[in-house]
Each structure stands twice: as C-alpha cells, then as structure tokens.
Amino acid sequence: METQDLKKQFTEKRIKNLSEARALWGLLQKDAIIRKDNFAKILNQLNGGKPFDEEDLVRLGQGWRCNVNFRDASSTLEQVLIGYWRLMHDTTNLISANVHSDDPNAETYAQIFQENFNRFIDDWGDAYVRNYLLLSMNHVGFGSGPVFWNDPKSPRWEPVRTGDMYVPPRAKADVASLEFCMIEQELEVSSIWAKVRTPEKRKAAEAMGWNYDAMMLFLHHKIHGNDVRPQPGDYVKIEDNIRDNEISVTNRHGPARVMHLYVKEWDGKISTYIFSPNVSHGEMYLFDNSSNDKRPEDMRRQLACIFFEAGNGLFWGSKGFGQKNYQLAVIQNRLKSRAVDRTILDGLNFRDLSDGGLTTVPILNVGPINVLPKELEQIQAYPHGSTIGETISMLDYQSNSNNARYRDQSKQIAQTDTVGQAKMLAGIQSQVDIANATLYLKQFGLGIFTEMFRRLRIRGNSDPDASKFRKRCLDAGIPDVVFYDAEVTVTTGADPGAASLSLQAEYAKEGMAMAATDGDFNGRWFKERYVSAHFGASAIKKALRPVDANTDLAAKRAAIMENDAMGNGHALPVDPKDNHAAQIPEHLTPLESMVSQYRASGKINPDAFIALQNVIPHLSDHFKYLEGNKLMDPVRKQLWPRFTAVQSAAEGLFNQLTKLDRTAQDNGMVSRDPGASPGGADLAGMAGAIEPQGGPQPPEGGPQDFQ
C-alpha cells in the first residue's frame, strides 16, 4: 500500500491547489523579511537617503547640522551601469550566431540572424533600454539580476526587482536546478480585461491557460473589494465601466499584485500558475497550464538570472555593489556632513558649566555669528587625532580599492601621454575587467539571448516579433530548413577581452597595417574595429562601403590560376565553400573572349578549345551551388545569361568539330581512336583551319555584347 500511495503521489501535482500555493507564498515571505529589509535600506541609501535621522536631530536641537547624502555611491553606480551598457552595446551586433552546418553560406546565414536580431531590439525600442537598465541595477547593485518571460511566445523579457523573486531556502545559484520559484508582478486592471474583452481573445486566453471565471471574479473584487459579493449583472457592469472609462478605473484602484508560480512537476515539466495574494478570485487560479502537454522541461525557458559573482554558491549568496558599499557610504556621508559643520563652528569646543548636564546644545547661528548660552565655556585646544579631511581621504582610497572591478578606467587610459603607458594601464585593468566581463557576458548570452533567439525561431510562433523576424530572415535568403532546424549557438556580440576604446583604435591601426601587406589578415574586420572605437558601432555602415562578394581578391586570384590549369588540360572540381560570385566572372571573361575571337576570325587555337572543354563543366558546377540560395539569386540572375551564351556557342563549336572529325575519318584524312572525345590532339590540330559554316548563333545578349 505504501508503494502504491507513493506512486500515486508522484503522479499528482506538487502543489495541489490554490490554498497550498498561498500557504507557500506566506512561508517564502517570512524567509525573505530580513533580506528585503536590507535591500530597502541599501536602495534608500543609493537613492539619496540622509545619513542621520532628521527627526532625531531636530528633537535634540541640532536641526542646523549638515545632514546630506553626497551621492558618492550612487554616482559610482551610475558610472558602472553606463560601463555595462557600453560593454554590451558598443558592438556591431548584439549577438554572435554560429550556424553549425556544412552549408558554404553558414557564415552569411549567421550574419543575417545577427542583423535581424539587432532590428528586433530596435523594434523593442525604449522599453528594451528601460528593462536592460533595471536588470543592470539589480545585477550590479544587489548581486543578482533576474528576468522572466511573462508571455510563452514573446521573446521580450521583463526584469524582476531583486526583492520580488522568491526561491526555496538554500537554492543554488542556478536557474535550471530550481524546483519552484515565485515572482511578484504588478498588473494593470486593463491588462487583465484586455485578455477577455472579446470572444476571440477570451478563447485564445483560455487555450493558453487563463480561467475566465476567476479573472472576472478578480476584476469584481479588485474594483469593489473582497467583501462585496458579485450580484447578477455585475460582470456586465464591469465590462461597461472598463469600456467606457478604462483609464479612470485603472488609475483609481491602482495596479493589481499577482504571483507567478513556476513548479517543476513530477513529470519533469514546468507548470505555471498565476494568482493574487490579496484579491479574492475563489479557489481557482487566474492562470494554470498544468494540463498542457507542451509545457517546457527546463526552468530556463521561463526564467534567467545574471549573478555578479559566485558568492557562496547559493541564489542569494552573490553580493553586489550596493551591499558591499552600504556601511562605507554611510560613514562617508556622515564624515562629510561633519566636515561641513566644522566650517560653520571651526574652533568651537565647549565645557558645560551648568548645574546639570545639558540635554541639548542650543547654539544660535546668525549668519557668521554663533551665540552661545552662558552655561558653556569655549575650549581653545582640540583633542589630537586625524582631521576629518584626512579620514575622508582614507575612506575614498578604501572605496576606490574595494570597487576596482566596478570602475570604468577607459578615461584614464585615454588620457595617457603614450601608447606604451596606455598598454600598461590596460594590462593592469584587464586582470580584473576581463574576468568580470567574461562572467557577465557568458551568463547574458547563455541565459537571456539564447532563450530570446529560440523563441524568435519557434515554428508557427504567431508573436508579432517572431513573425517579423522570421520574414526578414527568410526574405534575406535563409532557407526554411536552416531557420527552423539548424543548430545555432548564440553568444553576446561583445568581446570580454576588448580593451578601452582608445586602445582598441590603436590596435586596429596596427591590424590594418598588417592586412595591407599580408593577405592572411582580414583588413575589413580591423577597419570595422577602428571605426567602432572612434565613432561607435552604429557608424560602421555609414563609414564603410557594404561588403561585396565580387570584391574578394583572393577568390579572383584563385580563379585565374584555375583558368591556367584547366587550359593546360586539367579538369578541376569546385569546392562548395568557394566564393562562387567572385570566381564565376573570372572564369567567364576569357571564355567570352575566345568565343568572340572565334566568331570574328572563324578560328580557334588548341589551348582555347581545351579550356572551353574544362572550364564550362567547372562553371556549371559553380552555378549548381548558387541554385536554391536566395542570397545569391541576384548574382545568379546576372551571370546566368553570360554563361548560357558561352555554353551555347561552345556546344555549336563542339558539334562542328565533331562533324568535321567524322567527315575526315570517312575520307581517310584522320586516323583516331573511336573512343577519343572531340577535341583530342588530332582534332585540336585541325581546329585552326576551321572556317565558319553558319553554325549556331548566340542567344540574345550573346557574345556580341560581351565586350
């Protein structure tokens, strides 16, 4: 019986009903009280919270004292956030896609994916900037930056305030290993209503897992309160109110707080439940997709988190800038406030001469004059010790030392007198920065960009972003089989080892010089890095001309050498990875010249005849690799008429020579091996004496237009 009961248990939901979900929410809240309180204090300090309690100072008669947050910590944090933005976005492409395929156009497909991912981010617009900055604030400020995908189809993610994510106690800093997780979100009433405001939308929402009855009950209680039971016709009134005055209804009652509960069920799949912790909607979830067979099996399909460091290996073990600087920032603000006080009361120390200890020091400050009560006597000597200025300098030095990994030192490097000094500073900086940047970019690429890219490529995804991305990629020439089925690895386009912008420009100049003398170096890449370092990645398209496959000098040189070999009687295969667009014109040009000379003089030399025999099949193979490739379709359409004209003229020549060969054999003029092909040594020798016999004329656009 116990075994059967256990088996039954493992076939049920892990969280059986809404009551259990709310009970779990209560336990997680208790576990998070201290952590959320610390987060609130840190955030208050970063947002300008004063170092002393203002009410206490006033109560003690010291309301005149300086009580200012000098914002050192928040200023440094702002610089850090800008540094992370630059690290991620000062690149030509946000993602680096690697298409794992033997297709010779794999790199081109990867470039198309990258460019259209950039366009998707551009479509996202200001909301992406906001979301990214909020994510960075959580990641840098508190050590962990969680995000989640609220829509199962959309590639757009939402940042989660660090205190609004709840995981089991001692959960590992690994989203994939989470058994369950809760995320708190605020939803506008109108957004709930938008899911069910028409029969079509209601049907689509219910198919996803939304519960119409629970949603309408939720709307009723959100507007009228939990104590007001719905009466017949109330739902109709709610619909009318929202339709007629949707904005006022939403604003009057404020956003609704809901919880997203992600649970790894016993079947290994992730179920999503949504419920409100404080607005009643009966014993029904607002959203429940536990019966959907297409649920993901990986928690990373729903969530991602960027950790600032390893910490103790637990989810909340990573500590960020705000936590590490909180105590130091408080002391700095207090001492700097005291330094301001000293400028007002410089040289004033007092002895209390009253009968009992004064509870306050009622010093009256009137402009430059301080009026003291008669019970106080000024002391001329100060106790010996470090000055406030010295102490502040010491604390500033300590802060700089503690925050070395956060600081953007590119300005310091840019202001150096020589390249050698810049390289030395960059070497010192890189020991910290590269490790920090690598950790960040790796997590962002694997955790966020990879899931976004996966959602954009889901077959049949009706999300507007996915539909637009798919159309753009397919129109640019990516085949369906590559778009949907090819294995594509995605990382960030940013380079974690990149030095400061000034140093990147210097290195790029060195690379351009080497590329000018050594063909093994990619000069184009160095030019792009140079422009990006000076003017930003967005300037590359304006500063540099578009890359043209026809300008591949190395491919052209290879084609010219192949022409010599094939003219000497060597048939050469075509490599699928060849630059067909660059090599085909180099093969065609001499053939067109041969055909043109033949039509003008009626003669052809043996070498030209052999070249025609070998190069035309070679060209035919080049065109086979262009067929079906949308990327090369314009090139193929441009070159195909030239090839067919040469091919037609050559076939006419071959036919004429074959007839002459047979006539010569019949007349006993030539003795040949019957198995030999036309154009053999004997026939080639005869070719120079051939007179035109009105053979096949070239098609329209033929050799007469080749010059």
Side-chain angles (χ1 to χ4, degrees):
M1 285 294 294
E2 292 181 359
T3 302
Q4 292 179 352
D5 292 341
L6 188 60
K7 288 182 178 179
K8 181 180 179 182
Q9 177 182 342
F10 282 112
T11 59
E12 297 176 348
K13 295 181 181 180
R14 294 188 70 170
I15 298 175
K16 297 179 181 178
N17 51 49
L18 181 57
S19 296
E20 286 192 6
R22 284 186 167 139
L24 176 62
W25 153 241
L27 294 174
L28 292 175
Q29 261 197 318
K30 290 181 181 179
D31 291 337
I33 287 177
I34 297 177
R35 182 171 62 250
K36 294 188 73 169
D37 183 58
N38 289 334
F39 288 162
K41 290 179 180 177
I42 293 167
L43 194 59
N44 176 65
Q45 198 279 325
L46 290 172
N47 288 337
K50 296 181 178 181
F52 300 102
D53 188 304
E54 191 71 30
E55 292 183 359
D56 287 347
L57 291 179
V58 173
R59 180 171 53 81
L60 295 173
Q62 300 178 26
W64 52 272
R65 288 174 54 180
C66 179
N67 185 23
V68 174
N69 185 324
F70 289 86
R71 307 300 292 269
D72 296 279
S74 60
S75 177
T76 302
L77 181 58
E78 288 174 4
Q79 295 177 28
V80 173
L81 296 180
I82 293 173
Y84 273 95
W85 174 269
R86 287 177 50 194
L87 172 65
M88 178 70 73
H89 297 89
D90 276 358
T91 57
T92 306
N93 296 304
L94 280 176
I95 65 169
S96 174
N98 185 9
V99 179
H100 301 278
S101 171
D102 294 333
D103 191 313
N105 297 301
E107 291 186 7
T108 305
Y109 300 151
Q111 184 65 32
I112 294 173
F113 278 134
Q114 292 165 181
E115 291 176 354
N116 285 298
F117 190 89
N118 287 351
R119 295 179 68 184
F120 154 61
I121 295 297
D122 291 340
D123 292 341
W124 197 344
D126 293 341
Y128 170 77
V129 177
R130 168 190 171 275
N131 286 359
Y132 181 85
L133 292 178
L134 288 174
L135 163 62
S136 294
M137 176 63 186
N138 291 329
H139 161 247
V140 178
F142 301 102
S144 59
V147 304
F148 78 115
W149 283 269
N150 189 26
D151 188 315
K153 296 182 179 180
S154 175
R156 303 191 183 195
W157 45 266
E158 297 182 29
V160 182
R161 289 187 302 179
T162 306
D164 289 346
M165 185 171 184
Y166 303 85
V167 299
R170 299 194 61 78
K172 295 179 181 179
D174 175 23
V175 170
S177 67
L178 291 176
E179 296 291 316
F180 66 86
C181 169
M182 280 194 185
I183 290 177
E184 186 173 344
Q185 183 194 26
E186 291 184 344
L187 290 180
E188 301 292 343
V189 172
S190 58
S191 67
I192 296 288
W193 166 247
K195 298 181 186 301
V196 293
R197 62 187 174 89
T198 65
E200 294 78 12
K201 288 184 175 293
R202 172 183 171 180
K203 183 178 180 180
E206 289 180 329
M208 292 173 59
W210 290 97
N211 186 310
Y212 174 77
D213 292 331
M215 295 169 76
M216 296 306 296
L217 189 60
F218 170 84
L219 288 173
H220 173 84
H221 285 147
K222 182 69 182 74
I223 294 174
H224 300 293
N226 288 333
D227 296 333
V228 180
R229 294 184 178 182
Q231 301 297 322
D234 278 354
Y235 290 169
V236 176
K237 293 179 181 178
I238 291 174
E239 295 177 13
D240 291 340
N241 287 336
I242 295 178
R243 281 198 181 99
D244 296 340
N245 205 1
E246 181 178 341
I247 295 178
S248 67
V249 169
T250 301
N251 291 342
R252 186 170 68 246
H253 298 284
R257 186 172 60 159
V258 298
M259 302 302 302
H260 295 254
L261 170 59
Y262 302 101
V263 182
K264 190 170 187 178
E265 305 285 9
W266 297 122
D267 63 0
K269 296 183 178 182
I270 311 300
S271 294
T272 303
Y273 306 94
I274 299 178
F275 64 92
S276 172
N278 54 5
V279 178
S280 174
H281 44 83
E283 291 302 316
M284 304 169 289
Y285 288 107
L286 292 171
F287 181 91
D288 176 0
N289 72 345
S290 58
S291 60
N292 189 338
D293 292 335
K294 295 182 179 180
R295 289 169 294 145
E297 296 185 357
D298 192 334
M299 192 69 79
R300 289 173 295 185
R301 301 286 82 86
Q302 306 285 162
L303 316 166
C305 191
I306 311 298
F307 297 100
F308 187 76
E309 60 180 6
N312 62 356
L314 300 181
F315 203 92
W316 300 119
S318 174
K319 305 300 180 186
F321 175 91
Q323 292 153 297
K324 293 179 179 179
N325 283 270
Y326 176 71
Q327 296 294 344
L328 184 62
V330 170
I331 294 173
Q332 285 178 312
N333 285 322
R334 289 181 176 179
L335 279 176
K336 289 184 177 182
S337 292
R338 289 293 174 265
V340 174
D341 291 342
R342 286 282 296 272
T343 61
I344 299 175
L345 300 176
D346 190 23
L348 298 182
N349 285 313
F350 307 101
R351 179 184 293 113
D352 183 6
L353 300 178
S354 63
D355 295 335
L358 293 176
T359 58
T360 63
V361 183
I363 300 175
L364 176 63
N365 176 249
V366 183
I369 300 174
N370 298 308
V371 181
L372 310 178
K374 62 182 181 179
E375 293 88 354
L376 295 179
E377 176 184 357
Q378 183 174 354
I379 300 175
Q380 299 302 319
Y382 278 88
H384 180 71
S386 299
T387 65
I388 288 180
E390 291 173 344
T391 304
I392 291 174
S393 297
M394 180 271 292
L395 292 175
D396 286 342
Y397 174 82
Q398 185 65 45
S399 175
N400 291 335
S401 177
N402 290 351
N403 297 320
R405 72 181 297 184
Y406 300 98
R407 293 193 177 275
D408 177 11
Q409 300 185 27
S410 59
K411 290 183 179 179
Q412 182 183 2
I413 294 173
Q415 293 169 358
T416 52
D417 296 330
T418 67
V419 175
Q421 291 177 351
K423 291 181 178 178
M424 289 176 61
L425 281 172
I428 296 172
Q429 177 192 1
S430 65
Q431 295 180 21
V432 175
D433 287 355
I434 291 179
N436 187 30
T438 301
L439 176 64
Y440 172 72
L441 295 176
K442 196 71 173 179
Q443 293 183 89
F444 211 105
L446 294 178
I448 298 181
F449 279 164
T450 295
E451 177 59 17
M452 294 169 66
F453 189 74
R454 185 193 71 83
R455 288 168 175 248
L456 287 169
R457 295 174 64 208
I458 294 175
R459 189 183 296 273
N461 190 352
S462 59
D463 177 78
D465 288 318
S467 299
K468 192 178 296 185
F469 180 81
R470 178 173 58 251
K471 184 177 186 304
R472 287 169 174 172
C473 289
L474 298 182
D475 288 348
I478 295 182
D480 285 11
V481 65
V482 173
F483 182 86
Y484 290 115
D485 302 325
E487 180 185 356
V488 184
T489 302
V490 172
T491 58
T492 58
D495 179 8
S500 69
L501 293 179
S502 58
L503 200 56
Q504 286 184 48
E506 189 65 32
Y507 287 150
K509 285 177 64 178
E510 295 177 5
M512 286 189 289
M514 290 187 291
T517 58
D518 189 340
D520 290 337
F521 286 91
N522 185 350
R524 172 75 184 197
W525 185 85
F526 286 113
K527 291 177 182 178
E528 289 183 355
R529 300 297 289 180
Y530 183 81
V531 172
S532 177
H534 276 301
F535 307 104
S538 60
I540 290 177
K541 291 184 178 180
K542 296 180 179 179
L544 299 177
R545 294 185 180 90
V547 177
D548 184 359
N550 296 322
T551 62
D552 188 341
L553 296 180
K556 289 184 176 183
R557 285 196 296 267
I560 293 171
M561 289 187 288
E562 288 177 349
N563 289 342
D564 291 338
M566 288 186 285
N568 290 326
H570 301 288
L572 299 179
V574 175
D575 188 338
K577 296 182 180 179
D578 283 344
N579 186 338
H580 309 291
Q583 291 189 349
I584 287 176
E586 297 303 318
H587 292 316
L588 277 172
T589 300
L591 298 190
E592 292 169 342
S593 178
M594 295 173 192
V595 171
S596 180
Q597 290 175 6
Y598 170 69
R599 293 214 169 273
S601 66
K603 298 182 179 182
I604 187 167
N605 63 54
D607 291 339
F609 184 79
I610 294 172
L612 284 170
Q613 280 190 303
N614 289 322
V615 177
I616 286 181
H618 185 85
L619 275 168
S620 180
D621 289 341
H622 272 301
F623 276 103
K624 286 180 181 178
Y625 289 114
L626 291 182
E627 291 178 4
N629 186 342
K630 292 182 180 179
L631 298 171
M632 295 290 104
D633 198 50
V635 175
R636 187 185 64 81
K637 288 181 178 179
Q638 179 186 8
L639 297 175
W640 181 251
R642 295 174 59 185
F643 171 66
T644 54
V646 171
Q647 186 183 44
S648 176
E651 287 177 354
L653 176 60
F654 295 156
N655 291 335
Q656 284 185 347
L657 292 180
T658 300
K659 292 178 181 179
L660 287 173
D661 183 28
R662 290 173 180 170
T663 301
Q665 290 185 54
D666 293 342
N667 295 332
M669 296 174 58
V670 179
S671 176
R672 294 181 62 246
D673 181 351
S677 61
D682 293 334
L683 185 58
M686 297 171 53
I690 296 176
E691 295 293 334
Q693 300 294 323
Q697 297 300 311
E700 185 178 352
Q704 67 270 23
D705 299 324
F706 290 158
Q707 300 302 320

